[in-house]
Amino acid sequence: MRYDFGSDNTAGLAPAALQGLIDANAGYARAYGADEITARAADQIRQRLDADAEIRFVFSGTAANAIALSMLAWPHEAVLAHHAAHVCTDETGAPGFFGQGVGLIGLPGYSGKIDAKALLAALEEPEVGHRQPPAALSLTQSTEYGTVYTEEELRHLIEPVKARGYGVHLDGARLANAAAAGFDLRQIAQLGVDVLVFGGAKAGGLCTEAIVMFDRSLARRIDNRLKQSGQQASKARYLAAPLLGMLETREWEVGAAHANLMARRLAEGIATRTPFALAHPVEANAVFVRMPAKAHQALNTAGWACYRFDDGSVRFVCSWAASETAVDELLDAIVALN
C-alpha cells in the first residue's frame, strides 16, 4: 500500500513512544508492575484525569474492555452499548468470555452516539427471567464513527444509568483524539464513569491500554484477575514505557491533534473537490465517505488502504503519522476517480 488510511493501528510507534521503550530497557526494574516506569505512567494518566484512580496496563484494548465490563455485570446480566461499538462488533465475544456469559444489548443512534431515548426505553424494559437485564452502560469516546460526545450528551446518558445503580464503562481507544477535539478529560470521573480504558495504541503507542478504575472497589484482587486472564506482564515496564514517553512529552496530545487536522483536511477536500458525500460529521481522526463499490475498489487497486464500514460508507483514518502530502495525494486519487 502507498499510504495506509485503513486504520490508525497501522502506523508505527510515535518517536516519543519508541524512545520511552528504549529508555525503559536500561538496567533492571522490579517485575509485575512494581517498577518506577509503570508508576510514572499511571501518575501521568491521573494528572490528565484529575482523579485518584487505580490503574493497570494490559496488552490490548479488547482485553481492557472485556475485563472492565466483567467488573460491572454478572454473567446473568448484560451491558448496554451502541450497536456499532467495538465491544459489539469487533471483539469476538470477549466481554462474554471474560465475563463468563455477560451479554451485550445494542442500541441505535446517529454517527456512533447512543440515542438517549433508546437508552431510556431499554432501561425501562420490564425484567423477566428469560433474558439478561442490563447492569451497565458502555460508551465510546471518540465514537466508532469519528464523532465526539459533548459533556452534556454524556451526562444525559450516564445520569439515568447511575440513578438505577448500574455501572458505566468508557472505551477510550481514541480518547486522545477526543481530547484534541476539545473534550475535557477531567469530566470523565466527574460524570460518574466507573472504569475507563485509556488508549495508547491508536495514539502512537505499542499495543498497551490502561484500565483506569475510578471506583477503587473494582480493583479488589485486580492483579489476580489479570493474572488469570493472561494480562499481567512480568516485564510490565515495557507495556507502560511507550505510553509514558508520549505522555511526558505530550506527544499523546500533539499526535492526536495532528491526526484530527489531517482528517479535517481530507474531509474538506472531499466535500469541495469530489462528488462524494461525507457520511458522518468529522470531529476526530476518521472520515467516512459515501462511495460506490467500483470507486472504492479502484482506490484499493491503486494502493490506497481504506475499507467499507458497517454502515456501508468507506472509512479513512488519519494517524499521528499521516502527512499533508499523503492526504493531498489521496485527494488527487479520489478526484481522478470521476
mmCIF file of all heavy atoms in Angstrom, residues 57-90:
data_model
loop_
_atom_site.group_PDB
_atom_site.id
_atom_site.type_symbol
_atom_site.label_atom_id
_atom_site.label_comp_id
_atom_site.label_asym_id
_atom_site.label_seq_id
_atom_site.Cartn_x
_atom_site.Cartn_y
_atom_site.Cartn_z
ATOM 1 N N PHE A 57 -2.017 -1.720 33.397
ATOM 2 C CA PHE A 57 -1.746 -1.742 31.965
ATOM 3 C C PHE A 57 -1.881 -3.164 31.437
ATOM 4 O O PHE A 57 -1.373 -4.109 32.046
ATOM 5 C CB PHE A 57 -0.338 -1.199 31.687
ATOM 6 C CG PHE A 57 -0.161 0.235 32.111
ATOM 7 C CD1 PHE A 57 0.304 0.547 33.385
ATOM 8 C CD2 PHE A 57 -0.493 1.267 31.249
ATOM 9 C CE1 PHE A 57 0.447 1.865 33.785
ATOM 10 C CE2 PHE A 57 -0.351 2.593 31.636
ATOM 11 C CZ PHE A 57 0.117 2.898 32.912
ATOM 12 N N VAL A 58 -2.575 -3.306 30.306
ATOM 13 C CA VAL A 58 -2.799 -4.626 29.726
ATOM 14 C C VAL A 58 -2.394 -4.616 28.259
ATOM 15 O O VAL A 58 -2.067 -3.579 27.689
ATOM 16 C CB VAL A 58 -4.270 -5.079 29.882
ATOM 17 C CG1 VAL A 58 -4.630 -5.217 31.354
ATOM 18 C CG2 VAL A 58 -5.222 -4.113 29.192
ATOM 19 N N PHE A 59 -2.423 -5.794 27.640
ATOM 20 C CA PHE A 59 -1.839 -5.982 26.324
ATOM 21 C C PHE A 59 -2.688 -5.478 25.162
ATOM 22 O O PHE A 59 -2.179 -5.318 24.058
ATOM 23 C CB PHE A 59 -1.557 -7.474 26.086
ATOM 24 C CG PHE A 59 -0.444 -8.017 26.930
ATOM 25 C CD1 PHE A 59 -0.722 -8.709 28.102
ATOM 26 C CD2 PHE A 59 0.876 -7.843 26.558
ATOM 27 C CE1 PHE A 59 0.308 -9.218 28.886
ATOM 28 C CE2 PHE A 59 1.912 -8.348 27.329
ATOM 29 C CZ PHE A 59 1.634 -9.037 28.504
ATOM 30 N N SER A 60 -3.983 -5.255 25.347
ATOM 31 C CA SER A 60 -4.814 -4.854 24.211
ATOM 32 C C SER A 60 -6.087 -4.161 24.685
ATOM 33 O O SER A 60 -6.513 -4.320 25.835
ATOM 34 C CB SER A 60 -5.199 -6.068 23.358
ATOM 35 O OG SER A 60 -6.187 -6.850 24.028
ATOM 36 N N GLY A 61 -6.688 -3.409 23.761
ATOM 37 C CA GLY A 61 -7.950 -2.750 24.062
ATOM 38 C C GLY A 61 -9.080 -3.732 24.257
ATOM 39 O O GLY A 61 -9.974 -3.509 25.085
ATOM 40 N N THR A 62 -9.056 -4.821 23.494
ATOM 41 C CA THR A 62 -10.099 -5.835 23.655
ATOM 42 C C THR A 62 -10.076 -6.421 25.056
ATOM 43 O O THR A 62 -11.116 -6.550 25.713
ATOM 44 C CB THR A 62 -9.924 -6.948 22.608
ATOM 45 O OG1 THR A 62 -10.184 -6.408 21.308
ATOM 46 C CG2 THR A 62 -10.877 -8.100 22.873
ATOM 47 N N ALA A 63 -8.884 -6.780 25.536
ATOM 48 C CA ALA A 63 -8.774 -7.309 26.896
ATOM 49 C C ALA A 63 -9.193 -6.267 27.922
ATOM 50 O O ALA A 63 -9.893 -6.576 28.890
ATOM 51 C CB ALA A 63 -7.347 -7.777 27.158
ATOM 52 N N ALA A 64 -8.771 -5.026 27.716
ATOM 53 C CA ALA A 64 -9.113 -3.965 28.661
ATOM 54 C C ALA A 64 -10.624 -3.777 28.745
ATOM 55 O O ALA A 64 -11.205 -3.696 29.840
ATOM 56 C CB ALA A 64 -8.436 -2.665 28.249
ATOM 57 N N ASN A 65 -11.281 -3.699 27.578
ATOM 58 C CA ASN A 65 -12.736 -3.524 27.571
ATOM 59 C C ASN A 65 -13.448 -4.707 28.215
ATOM 60 O O ASN A 65 -14.358 -4.542 29.034
ATOM 61 C CB ASN A 65 -13.237 -3.367 26.132
ATOM 62 C CG ASN A 65 -12.957 -2.003 25.555
ATOM 63 O OD1 ASN A 65 -12.856 -1.008 26.274
ATOM 64 N ND2 ASN A 65 -12.829 -1.937 24.245
ATOM 65 N N ALA A 66 -13.046 -5.902 27.831
ATOM 66 C CA ALA A 66 -13.736 -7.099 28.310
ATOM 67 C C ALA A 66 -13.575 -7.278 29.808
ATOM 68 O O ALA A 66 -14.533 -7.619 30.511
ATOM 69 C CB ALA A 66 -13.221 -8.332 27.563
ATOM 70 N N ILE A 67 -12.365 -7.057 30.309
ATOM 71 C CA ILE A 67 -12.142 -7.175 31.753
ATOM 72 C C ILE A 67 -12.919 -6.091 32.494
ATOM 73 O O ILE A 67 -13.517 -6.347 33.546
ATOM 74 C CB ILE A 67 -10.640 -7.116 32.062
ATOM 75 C CG1 ILE A 67 -9.953 -8.381 31.539
ATOM 76 C CG2 ILE A 67 -10.392 -6.970 33.560
ATOM 77 C CD1 ILE A 67 -8.435 -8.325 31.572
ATOM 78 N N ALA A 68 -12.922 -4.883 31.944
ATOM 79 C CA ALA A 68 -13.667 -3.797 32.574
ATOM 80 C C ALA A 68 -15.152 -4.126 32.673
ATOM 81 O O ALA A 68 -15.784 -3.928 33.722
ATOM 82 C CB ALA A 68 -13.462 -2.506 31.793
ATOM 83 N N LEU A 69 -15.722 -4.647 31.592
ATOM 84 C CA LEU A 69 -17.158 -4.967 31.618
ATOM 85 C C LEU A 69 -17.456 -6.119 32.561
ATOM 86 O O LEU A 69 -18.527 -6.177 33.169
ATOM 87 C CB LEU A 69 -17.644 -5.281 30.200
ATOM 88 C CG LEU A 69 -17.603 -4.110 29.213
ATOM 89 C CD1 LEU A 69 -18.160 -4.533 27.864
ATOM 90 C CD2 LEU A 69 -18.355 -2.898 29.740
ATOM 91 N N SER A 70 -16.506 -7.044 32.683
ATOM 92 C CA SER A 70 -16.713 -8.159 33.611
ATOM 93 C C SER A 70 -16.743 -7.672 35.060
ATOM 94 O O SER A 70 -17.232 -8.391 35.938
ATOM 95 C CB SER A 70 -15.620 -9.218 33.428
ATOM 96 O OG SER A 70 -14.386 -8.795 33.987
ATOM 97 N N MET A 71 -16.221 -6.479 35.309
ATOM 98 C CA MET A 71 -16.270 -5.901 36.653
ATOM 99 C C MET A 71 -17.645 -5.314 36.968
ATOM 100 O O MET A 71 -18.001 -5.147 38.134
ATOM 101 C CB MET A 71 -15.233 -4.774 36.781
ATOM 102 C CG MET A 71 -13.791 -5.190 36.621
ATOM 103 S SD MET A 71 -12.756 -3.693 36.645
ATOM 104 C CE MET A 71 -11.129 -4.420 36.473
ATOM 105 N N LEU A 72 -18.394 -4.984 35.914
ATOM 106 C CA LEU A 72 -19.627 -4.210 36.097
ATOM 107 C C LEU A 72 -20.900 -5.035 35.969
ATOM 108 O O LEU A 72 -21.978 -4.542 36.305
ATOM 109 C CB LEU A 72 -19.670 -3.067 35.076
ATOM 110 C CG LEU A 72 -18.506 -2.067 35.128
ATOM 111 C CD1 LEU A 72 -18.671 -1.023 34.034
ATOM 112 C CD2 LEU A 72 -18.423 -1.400 36.497
ATOM 113 N N ALA A 73 -20.803 -6.246 35.460
ATOM 114 C CA ALA A 73 -22.002 -7.059 35.252
ATOM 115 C C ALA A 73 -21.736 -8.514 35.616
ATOM 116 O O ALA A 73 -20.650 -9.035 35.371
ATOM 117 C CB ALA A 73 -22.467 -6.961 33.798
ATOM 118 N N TRP A 74 -22.740 -9.165 36.191
ATOM 119 C CA TRP A 74 -22.673 -10.591 36.492
ATOM 120 C C TRP A 74 -22.941 -11.385 35.217
ATOM 121 O O TRP A 74 -23.496 -10.847 34.249
ATOM 122 C CB TRP A 74 -23.707 -10.953 37.558
ATOM 123 C CG TRP A 74 -23.396 -10.426 38.927
ATOM 124 C CD1 TRP A 74 -23.942 -9.326 39.523
ATOM 125 C CD2 TRP A 74 -22.476 -10.985 39.871
ATOM 126 N NE1 TRP A 74 -23.412 -9.146 40.778
ATOM 127 C CE2 TRP A 74 -22.509 -10.162 41.019
ATOM 128 C CE3 TRP A 74 -21.631 -12.098 39.857
ATOM 129 C CZ2 TRP A 74 -21.728 -10.408 42.140
ATOM 130 C CZ3 TRP A 74 -20.844 -12.346 40.970
ATOM 131 C CH2 TRP A 74 -20.894 -11.511 42.096
ATOM 132 N N PRO A 75 -22.597 -12.676 35.197
ATOM 133 C CA PRO A 75 -22.810 -13.485 33.994
ATOM 134 C C PRO A 75 -24.262 -13.531 33.509
ATOM 135 O O PRO A 75 -24.496 -13.723 32.314
ATOM 136 C CB PRO A 75 -22.319 -14.874 34.425
ATOM 137 C CG PRO A 75 -21.298 -14.601 35.472
ATOM 138 C CD PRO A 75 -21.823 -13.410 36.219
ATOM 139 N N HIS A 76 -25.216 -13.340 34.425
ATOM 140 C CA HIS A 76 -26.617 -13.400 34.008
ATOM 141 C C HIS A 76 -27.153 -12.027 33.618
ATOM 142 O O HIS A 76 -28.357 -11.871 33.384
ATOM 143 C CB HIS A 76 -27.474 -13.972 35.148
ATOM 144 C CG HIS A 76 -27.367 -13.202 36.430
ATOM 145 N ND1 HIS A 76 -26.335 -13.385 37.316
ATOM 146 C CD2 HIS A 76 -28.165 -12.244 36.958
ATOM 147 C CE1 HIS A 76 -26.493 -12.577 38.352
ATOM 148 N NE2 HIS A 76 -27.599 -11.869 38.161
ATOM 149 N N GLU A 77 -26.253 -11.030 33.516
ATOM 150 C CA GLU A 77 -26.663 -9.667 33.175
ATOM 151 C C GLU A 77 -26.049 -9.246 31.840
ATOM 152 O O GLU A 77 -25.293 -9.990 31.221
ATOM 153 C CB GLU A 77 -26.234 -8.706 34.285
ATOM 154 C CG GLU A 77 -26.933 -8.989 35.602
ATOM 155 C CD GLU A 77 -26.412 -8.134 36.746
ATOM 156 O OE1 GLU A 77 -25.200 -7.789 36.740
ATOM 157 O OE2 GLU A 77 -27.203 -7.808 37.649
ATOM 158 N N ALA A 78 -26.410 -8.026 31.394
ATOM 159 C CA ALA A 78 -25.947 -7.538 30.094
ATOM 160 C C ALA A 78 -25.453 -6.103 30.199
ATOM 161 O O ALA A 78 -25.734 -5.400 31.168
ATOM 162 C CB ALA A 78 -27.071 -7.631 29.063
ATOM 163 N N VAL A 79 -24.738 -5.691 29.166
ATOM 164 C CA VAL A 79 -24.207 -4.336 29.061
ATOM 165 C C VAL A 79 -24.848 -3.648 27.865
ATOM 166 O O VAL A 79 -24.911 -4.212 26.767
ATOM 167 C CB VAL A 79 -22.675 -4.361 28.882
ATOM 168 C CG1 VAL A 79 -22.137 -2.949 28.652
ATOM 169 C CG2 VAL A 79 -22.006 -5.007 30.092
ATOM 170 N N LEU A 80 -25.326 -2.432 28.074
ATOM 171 C CA LEU A 80 -25.895 -1.617 27.005
ATOM 172 C C LEU A 80 -24.773 -0.883 26.285
ATOM 173 O O LEU A 80 -23.875 -0.324 26.916
ATOM 174 C CB LEU A 80 -26.888 -0.599 27.584
ATOM 175 C CG LEU A 80 -28.114 -1.175 28.295
ATOM 176 C CD1 LEU A 80 -28.729 -0.134 29.226
ATOM 177 C CD2 LEU A 80 -29.137 -1.640 27.269
ATOM 178 N N ALA A 81 -24.815 -0.873 24.944
ATOM 179 C CA ALA A 81 -23.776 -0.203 24.159
ATOM 180 C C ALA A 81 -24.352 0.163 22.801
ATOM 181 O O ALA A 81 -25.364 -0.391 22.372
ATOM 182 C CB ALA A 81 -22.562 -1.111 23.982
ATOM 183 N N HIS A 82 -23.722 1.094 22.113
ATOM 184 C CA HIS A 82 -24.131 1.381 20.739
ATOM 185 C C HIS A 82 -23.921 0.124 19.903
ATOM 186 O O HIS A 82 -22.933 -0.592 20.086
ATOM 187 C CB HIS A 82 -23.318 2.537 20.169
ATOM 188 C CG HIS A 82 -23.861 3.073 18.883
ATOM 189 N ND1 HIS A 82 -23.611 2.480 17.658
ATOM 190 C CD2 HIS A 82 -24.674 4.127 18.624
ATOM 191 C CE1 HIS A 82 -24.233 3.152 16.708
ATOM 192 N NE2 HIS A 82 -24.880 4.167 17.263
ATOM 193 N N HIS A 83 -24.827 -0.130 18.974
ATOM 194 C CA HIS A 83 -24.741 -1.394 18.218
ATOM 195 C C HIS A 83 -23.480 -1.475 17.364
ATOM 196 O O HIS A 83 -23.060 -2.577 16.982
ATOM 197 C CB HIS A 83 -25.987 -1.572 17.335
ATOM 198 C CG HIS A 83 -26.126 -0.556 16.239
ATOM 199 N ND1 HIS A 83 -25.423 -0.630 15.070
ATOM 200 C CD2 HIS A 83 -26.888 0.575 16.151
ATOM 201 C CE1 HIS A 83 -25.738 0.390 14.284
ATOM 202 N NE2 HIS A 83 -26.622 1.140 14.916
ATOM 203 N N ALA A 84 -22.847 -0.324 17.070
ATOM 204 C CA ALA A 84 -21.607 -0.336 16.296
ATOM 205 C C ALA A 84 -20.368 -0.223 17.171
ATOM 206 O O ALA A 84 -19.255 -0.115 16.645
ATOM 207 C CB ALA A 84 -21.617 0.804 15.278
ATOM 208 N N ALA A 85 -20.546 -0.254 18.487
ATOM 209 C CA ALA A 85 -19.392 -0.134 19.386
ATOM 210 C C ALA A 85 -18.438 -1.305 19.182
ATOM 211 O O ALA A 85 -18.837 -2.408 18.808
ATOM 212 C CB ALA A 85 -19.863 -0.088 20.841
ATOM 213 N N HIS A 86 -17.184 -1.061 19.473
ATOM 214 C CA HIS A 86 -16.158 -2.091 19.304
ATOM 215 C C HIS A 86 -16.483 -3.344 20.108
ATOM 216 O O HIS A 86 -16.262 -4.462 19.645
ATOM 217 C CB HIS A 86 -14.803 -1.522 19.742
ATOM 218 C CG HIS A 86 -13.621 -2.232 19.165
ATOM 219 N ND1 HIS A 86 -13.019 -3.300 19.790
ATOM 220 C CD2 HIS A 86 -12.927 -2.031 18.017
ATOM 221 C CE1 HIS A 86 -12.004 -3.726 19.058
ATOM 222 N NE2 HIS A 86 -11.911 -2.982 17.972
ATOM 223 N N VAL A 87 -17.029 -3.177 21.306
ATOM 224 C CA VAL A 87 -17.348 -4.338 22.141
ATOM 225 C C VAL A 87 -18.416 -5.203 21.497
ATOM 226 O O VAL A 87 -18.476 -6.412 21.747
ATOM 227 C CB VAL A 87 -17.794 -3.916 23.568
ATOM 228 C CG1 VAL A 87 -16.660 -3.233 24.307
ATOM 229 C CG2 VAL A 87 -19.042 -3.030 23.537
ATOM 230 N N CYS A 88 -19.257 -4.594 20.638
ATOM 231 C CA CYS A 88 -20.332 -5.349 19.988
ATOM 232 C C CYS A 88 -19.915 -5.958 18.649
ATOM 233 O O CYS A 88 -20.420 -7.012 18.267
ATOM 234 C CB CYS A 88 -21.538 -4.446 19.754
ATOM 235 S SG CYS A 88 -22.395 -3.908 21.248
ATOM 236 N N THR A 89 -18.999 -5.297 17.946
ATOM 237 C CA THR A 89 -18.732 -5.698 16.566
ATOM 238 C C THR A 89 -17.343 -6.262 16.303
ATOM 239 O O THR A 89 -17.126 -6.914 15.274
ATOM 240 C CB THR A 89 -18.921 -4.493 15.618
ATOM 241 O OG1 THR A 89 -17.959 -3.474 15.957
ATOM 242 C CG2 THR A 89 -20.325 -3.921 15.730
ATOM 243 N N ASP A 90 -16.381 -6.012 17.197
ATOM 244 C CA ASP A 90 -15.001 -6.327 16.852
ATOM 245 C C ASP A 90 -14.224 -7.033 17.952
ATOM 246 O O ASP A 90 -12.991 -7.002 17.947
ATOM 247 C CB ASP A 90 -14.252 -5.040 16.482
ATOM 248 C CG ASP A 90 -14.713 -4.459 15.160
ATOM 249 O OD1 ASP A 90 -14.264 -4.960 14.114
ATOM 250 O OD2 ASP A 90 -15.545 -3.537 15.172
#
